[in-house]
Amino acid sequence: MFDWQQLAVALIVAAALFYVARRALGRLRSFRRGGPGAASDCATGCGKCGEDGPVAAAPRVVQISRERTPPGRGRT
């Protein structure tokens, strides 16, 4: 008969096998589509990559500092 320990071990082993199979399948699929080292569409040099839309302006840098009181004036 199966007791709870054997059932727990069987579930852990099944989960580990599922994890390994999923990682292996993902690895095999990455070879088919070129993987992370594959050339992107912009590597062809056709010049169309920069024509999608207006270029966003760089965000402004705002400095936040404490307000200083001029000399001779006290805080209330």
Side-chain angles (χ1 to χ4, degrees), residues 2-28:
F2 284 110
D3 60 344
W4 69 271
Q5 289 177 341
Q6 289 178 341
L7 181 63
V9 168
L11 288 175
I12 291 171
V13 169
L17 287 174
F18 176 74
Y19 174 77
V20 170
R22 188 177 61 127
R23 293 288 305 250
L25 186 62
R27 182 77 161 158
L28 291 174

Side-chain angles (χ1 to χ4, degrees):
M1 276 255 156
F2 284 110
D3 60 344
W4 69 271
Q5 289 177 341
Q6 289 178 341
L7 181 63
V9 168
L11 288 175
I12 291 171
V13 169
L17 287 174
F18 176 74
Y19 174 77
V20 170
R22 188 177 61 127
R23 293 288 305 250
L25 186 62
R27 182 77 161 158
L28 291 174
R29 286 183 179 169
S30 72
F31 288 126
R32 183 173 43 177
R33 65 177 172 245
S40 66
D41 293 338
C42 292
T44 59
C46 65
K48 292 184 179 179
C49 294
E51 298 176 6
D52 290 341
V55 179
R60 284 196 203 184
V61 177
V62 178
Q63 274 188 327
I64 300 175
S65 62
R66 290 186 178 198
E67 183 180 333
R68 296 185 181 193
T69 2
R73 295 188 180 197
R75 292 186 180 180
T76 57

